[in-house]
């Protein structure tokens, strides 16, 4: 046939074609990974919203103290967040029982920072989570419950904002990454 290219020229063209395909696939993969990170953030925010709603029910419904509620919620949650909540609750309860002075704020800061190391949360999400002790510490149970509800609403707003942000950015990120792949192929060939 007239369109067949044999020999060294054929191999060069095939190598260039394979390189071009790998370059485009790599750029598309990069965009896909960025989208997966957005989805991961949304999933983690959803879990946090669920956890604080459960904590609100524990403190409001069963009249548990905050450390007891943290332990109970931690037992119901799976993964590192559940472990984190359990540890916070048990450390604070132990500190209250033997008067060793392990405060909720100190324990929260230390344990939640360990949890945050393995998350996709953005800086503003992390700051909001670190500020949770500011919503606690009220002796009046109703006031504490109102503040837990407020914090839960703020977490829900952060999740909704992340969902909207991801919807707007996903198509753009994927399109841009594939386009960059094609542009790189054109430049390099």
């Amino acid at each position: 046939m007239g369109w067949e290219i044999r020999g060294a020229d054929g191999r060069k063209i095939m190598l260039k074609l394979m390189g071009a395909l790998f370059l485009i696939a790599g750029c598309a993969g990069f965009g896909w990974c960025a989208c997966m990170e957005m989805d991961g953030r949304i999933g983690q925010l959803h879990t946090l919203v669920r956890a604080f709603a459960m904590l609100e029910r524990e403190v409001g419904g069963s009249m548990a103290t905050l450390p007891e509620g943290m332990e109970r919620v931690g037992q119901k949650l799976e993964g590192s967040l559940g472990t984190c909540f359990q540890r916070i609750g048990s450390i604070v309860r132990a500190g209250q029982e033997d008067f060793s002075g392990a405060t909720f704020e100190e324990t929260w800061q230390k344990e939640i920072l360990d949890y945050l190391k393995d998350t996709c949360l953005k800086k503003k999400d992390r700051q909001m989570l670190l500020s949770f002790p500011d919503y606690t510490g009220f002796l009046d149970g109703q006031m504490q419950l109102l503040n837990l509800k407020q914090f839960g609403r703020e977490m829900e707003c952060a999740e909704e904002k992340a969902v909207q942000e991801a919807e707007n950015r996903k198509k753009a990120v994927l399109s841009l990454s594939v386009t960059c792949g094609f542009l790189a192929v054109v430049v390099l060939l």
Side-chain angles (χ1 to χ4, degrees):
M1 296 200 170
W3 54 271
E4 282 187 35
I5 302 175
R6 296 181 184 242
D9 287 338
R11 278 184 241 136
K12 283 182 185 178
I13 291 173
M14 286 303 291
L15 285 174
K16 285 183 180 185
L17 183 60
M18 297 249 322
L21 291 174
F22 283 133
L23 187 57
I24 293 168
C27 288
F30 177 77
W32 183 77
C33 286
C35 291
M36 292 288 87
E37 189 171 316
M38 287 183 229
D39 287 341
R41 175 179 174 233
I42 292 168
Q44 289 166 351
L45 284 171
H46 181 74
T47 302
L48 286 165
V49 166
R50 225 178 80 232
F52 284 105
M54 292 166 67
L55 183 60
E56 180 186 322
R57 285 191 298 275
E58 284 293 332
V59 171
S62 67
M63 298 302 196
T65 64
L66 191 59
E68 288 171 346
M70 296 287 290
E71 276 189 286
R72 291 178 189 170
V73 169
Q75 291 168 355
K76 295 173 186 174
L77 291 173
E78 295 179 2
S80 60
L81 184 61
T83 305
C84 178
F85 270 38
Q86 283 180 331
R87 287 177 42 191
I88 292 169
S90 63
I91 290 170
V92 173
R93 281 186 57 191
Q96 289 172 343
E97 291 170 3
D98 65 10
F99 303 106
S100 65
T103 67
F104 180 77
E105 294 84 13
E106 293 167 348
T107 307
W108 177 266
Q109 296 297 324
K110 181 185 176 299
E111 297 298 326
I112 211 68
L113 282 172
D114 286 343
Y115 165 73
L116 288 173
K117 288 178 185 174
D118 299 324
T119 65
C120 300
L121 298 176
K122 289 187 173 184
K123 185 177 180 179
K124 60 185 174 182
D125 305 326
R126 292 168 185 257
Q127 288 173 339
M128 182 175 24
L129 200 53
L130 287 168
S131 74
F132 176 65
D134 298 341
Y135 291 80
T136 64
F138 296 96
L139 295 177
D140 178 21
Q142 288 301 316
M143 188 64 168
Q144 180 142 336
L145 187 58
L146 286 173
N147 280 317
L148 280 172
K149 287 180 182 182
Q150 175 64 31
F151 188 79
R153 281 193 296 270
E154 288 181 22
M155 290 297 298
E156 286 176 13
C157 287
E159 180 189 13
E160 290 170 7
K161 202 172 187 179
V163 168
Q164 290 174 349
E165 197 176 282
E167 286 175 1
N168 293 337
R169 293 182 63 203
K170 276 184 182 180
K171 290 178 185 174
V173 166
L174 285 174
S175 298
L176 187 62
S177 62
V178 171
T179 302
C180 286
F182 279 114
L183 182 63
V185 167
V186 169
V187 169
L188 293 175
L189 291 180

